[in-house]
């Protein structure tokens, strides 16, 4: 019986030490729309994510309704008219991190390639970013653009000068083991 218990503990600790799986500790997702009439900025800190540094697999989910805006009316229009959060409550990404060396600490330029689903549309994307591995806690930072037409987000003709065709997105994810 002692042998079975010792073997089980050894197997568990061996598996744990070789597995580099992380959960999201803190997130910041911002988007910025630079338009002729009005700039729009929103921030969200309610994402969920899993990261496996051994395989490079990464998934995350962002609750769309949690974006905070400067004005309440912007948030209302964003959720009801543009992103239709009752129908499409979250944006998700499932993919792989490419070009990261697990044996190197500090900052490394990498990219993530996978499927981004938003507003009911899934697109293959590749995003350049940085992973900073310090104290066994990865931090991912990336900046990229999203064309809103690619995700069937419709802007009424009357408001086409209020919202940019491309939105700047910035993500920062801090993970823990």
């Amino acid at each position: 019986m002692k042998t079975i218990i010792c073997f089980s503990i050894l197997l568990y600790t061996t598996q744990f030490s070789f597995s580099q799986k992380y959960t999201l500790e803190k997130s910041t997702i911002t988007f910025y729309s630079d338009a002729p009439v009005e700039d729009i900025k929103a921030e969200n800190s309610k994402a969920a994510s899993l990261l496996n540094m051994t395989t490079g697999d990464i998934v995350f989910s962002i609750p769309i309704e949690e974006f905070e805006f400067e004005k309440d009316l912007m948030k209302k229009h964003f959720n009801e008219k543009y992103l239709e959060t009752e129908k499409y409550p979250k944006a998700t990404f499932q993919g792989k991190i490419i070009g990261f060396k697990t044996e190197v600490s500090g900052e490394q330029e990498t990219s993530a390639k996978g499927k981004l689903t938003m507003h009911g549309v899934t697109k293959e994307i590749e995003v350049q970013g940085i992973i900073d591995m310090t104290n066994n806690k990865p931090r991912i930072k990336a900046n990229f653009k999203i064309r809103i037409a690619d995700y069937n987000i419709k802007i009424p003709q009357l408001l086409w000068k209020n919202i940019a065709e491309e939105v700047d997105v910035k993500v920062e994810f801090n993970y823990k083991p």
Side-chain angles (χ1 to χ4, degrees), residues 63-74:
I64 300 296
E65 202 167 67
E66 296 296 331
F67 276 99
E68 294 299 327
F69 293 78
E70 183 180 308
K71 299 175 185 173
D72 289 338
L73 188 58
M74 283 181 180

Side-chain angles (χ1 to χ4, degrees), residues 32 59 65 97 108 133 136 151:
Y32 180 73
V59 295
E65 202 167 67
I97 294 175
Q108 294 180 51
M133 180 63 99
N136 197 35
Y151 293 91

Side-chain angles (χ1 to χ4, degrees), residues 54-175:
T54 304
T55 63
D57 292 333
I58 182 170
V59 295
F60 63 79
S61 176
I62 301 169
I64 300 296
E65 202 167 67
E66 296 296 331
F67 276 99
E68 294 299 327
F69 293 78
E70 183 180 308
K71 299 175 185 173
D72 289 338
L73 188 58
M74 283 181 180
K75 182 173 182 166
K76 181 178 174 152
H77 287 169
F78 175 79
N79 285 305
E80 292 176 5
K81 294 183 179 187
Y82 306 123
L83 272 288
E84 302 174 276
T85 55
E86 282 191 21
K87 267 169 95 171
Y88 312 107
K90 61 186 173 182
T92 60
F93 177 81
Q94 182 173 2
K96 280 200 176 286
I97 294 175
I98 304 163
F100 181 77
K101 296 179 178 84
T102 57
E103 66 277 2
V104 177
S105 64
E107 284 191 2
Q108 294 180 51
E109 290 186 17
T110 62
S111 62
K113 188 174 184 177
K115 295 180 180 184
L116 176 64
T117 301
M118 184 171 56
H119 198 246
V121 176
T122 301
K123 295 275 185 186
E124 188 80 28
I125 65 168
E126 185 168 350
V127 175
Q128 305 300 310
I130 293 174
I131 296 180
D132 180 9
M133 180 63 99
T134 305
N135 298 325
N136 197 35
K137 292 176 109 180
R139 182 178 64 186
I140 295 176
K141 295 188 286 186
N143 297 312
F144 56 98
K145 293 185 183 291
I146 292 178
R147 287 185 41 79
I148 58 176
D150 289 348
Y151 293 91
N152 291 338
I153 299 168
K154 308 271 189 265
I155 306 302
Q157 280 289 39
L158 185 61
L159 299 174
W160 70 270
K161 287 188 176 184
N162 289 33
I163 298 168
E165 292 178 20
E166 283 191 335
V167 176
D168 295 321
V169 179
K170 180 179 178 183
V171 297
E172 186 169 331
F173 291 161
N174 295 320
Y175 291 90

Side-chain angles (χ1 to χ4, degrees), residues 29-33 40-44 67-70 78:
I29 303 98
T30 58
F31 75 80
Y32 180 73
S33 168
I40 300 170
K41 182 179 180 182
E43 188 171 299
N44 185 328
F67 276 99
E68 294 299 327
F69 293 78
E70 183 180 308
F78 175 79

